[in-house]
Amino acid sequence: MHKLNGKSGCAVEVTLSVMGGTWKPIILFHLLRGRMRFSDLGRAIPSVTQRMLTLQLRELEEAAIITRTVYPEVPPRVEYELTPLGHSLEPILVSMRDWGLNYTGAAPVAEPCPLA
Amino acid sequence: MHKLNGKSGCAVEVTLSVMGGTWKPIILFHLLRGRMRFSDLGRAIPSVTQRMLTLQLRELEEAAIITRTVYPEVPPRVEYELTPLGHSLEPILVSMRDWGLNYTGAAPVAEPCPLA
DNA sequence: GCATATACTTACAAAAATGTAAGTCATGGG
DNA sequence: CCCATGACTTACATTTTTGTAAGTATATGC
């Protein structure tokens, strides 16, 4: 045997299944400040590609963490916004930001990112 | 162009670079309760393989999030423990657990995992 | 009537993560 | 002598994730 036992799945794993991965926490963190359109998110997260952004947004939408609103204009406009469930992730996202700020030296001051 | 712009790296990304991924948050969460040996962690996280557990523990050690102590016995015994830096991740891990508990219905009651 | 803008989608390719299974090491016990 | 134990390591295969680049749609302005 190489797995060490049978099954479980603790609460942390549940959370990770919803907001885990490379992009989701970052996307959600930016959305804490309010609705954003696709291109805004892309600009806020320079390292993400269109494809990844689309894929991750779709998954978050399926999980009911965000909503997607299409405005039937030309050129199209699509806005993404946290649902209440999505907003309930705020404590996690904020503590992640705080830890990162501390780790990089700074006191939890203002905006390298949304939210001072 | 397919990336949407140039560069950044916000505080959340920094945190993810240290404790992101499928296994690290779970490992760290279990270690919140105190030192554990390799086989204990394996039992606590049934879905992880020996190989993944070793790899992730090594990375956490390199990041100075945990310490690794080898007791020169036969058969060998190795214990892992959070450093102070590792302990500083507690707020993140605890809020992740809380969210998972809520999401799965329960009120934040007792131990599906370490920490009630 | 042609380019422009936005928010994608699609096909293909490369890279990264993870799994599987076997082997290693040292010693005490039978 | 042989086996068991605990914590690995190694080689290889598979799966999953991510990237690249091109294509789509449609109304508007030039």
Side-chain angles (χ1 to χ4, degrees):
Chain A
M1 229 100 257
H2 303 88
K3 276 183 188 152
L4 308 165
N5 131 12
K7 64 162 55 184
S8 88
C10 76
V12 174
E13 295 179 61
V14 172
T15 304
L16 289 172
S17 72
V18 172
M19 54 91 70
T22 308
W23 304 112
K24 291 199 189 99
I26 304 171
I27 292 170
L28 293 172
F29 181 68
H30 286 287
L31 287 175
L32 282 181
R33 309 202 79 185
R35 51 173 45 196
M36 295 176 82
R37 38 195 300 193
F38 185 82
S39 54
D40 291 334
L41 283 166
R43 250 171 270 114
I45 312 170
S47 50
V48 80
T49 58
Q50 286 189 327
R51 201 178 83 94
M52 275 299 108
L53 189 50
T54 309
L55 291 175
Q56 300 306 113
L57 288 169
R58 287 292 186 292
E59 292 185 11
L60 289 169
E61 194 193 355
E62 271 206 39
I65 298 294
I66 63 175
T67 56
R68 175 171 181 269
T69 310
V70 183
Y71 296 88
E73 307 168 358
V74 170
R77 178 163 61 104
V78 180
E79 293 192 337
Y80 295 92
E81 189 173 17
L82 293 179
T83 61
L85 182 62
H87 269 293
S88 71
L89 291 166
E90 179 162 347
I92 300 171
L93 298 166
V94 167
S95 55
M96 280 188 176
R97 179 212 50 186
D98 289 345
W99 196 91
L101 287 176
N102 263 9
Y103 187 76
T104 54
V109 238
E111 67 258 88
C113 249
L115 283 155
Chain B
M1 230 98 262
H2 304 88
K3 277 184 188 150
L4 308 165
N5 125 19
K7 63 162 59 184
S8 87
C10 75
V12 174
E13 295 180 62
V14 171
T15 304
L16 289 171
S17 74
V18 172
M19 53 92 69
T22 308
W23 305 112
K24 293 200 188 98
I26 305 171
I27 292 169
L28 294 172
F29 181 67
H30 285 287
L31 287 175
L32 283 181
R33 309 201 78 186
R35 50 172 48 197
M36 295 177 81
R37 39 195 300 194
F38 185 81
S39 54
D40 291 334
L41 282 166
R43 250 171 269 116
I45 312 170
S47 50
V48 79
T49 58
Q50 287 189 328
R51 201 178 82 96
M52 275 299 108
L53 189 50
T54 309
L55 290 175
Q56 300 305 114
L57 287 168
R58 286 293 187 293
E59 291 185 12
L60 289 169
E61 194 193 353
E62 271 207 39
I65 298 294
I66 64 175
T67 56
R68 175 172 181 269
T69 311
V70 182
Y71 296 88
E73 306 167 357
V74 170
R77 179 163 60 105
V78 180
E79 292 191 337
Y80 295 92
E81 190 173 14
L82 293 178
T83 62
L85 182 61
H87 269 292
S88 72
L89 292 167
E90 180 163 345
I92 300 172
L93 298 165
V94 167
S95 56
M96 280 188 176
R97 179 212 49 187
D98 289 345
W99 195 90
L101 286 176
N102 263 10
Y103 187 75
T104 54
V109 237
E111 65 256 87
C113 248
L115 283 152

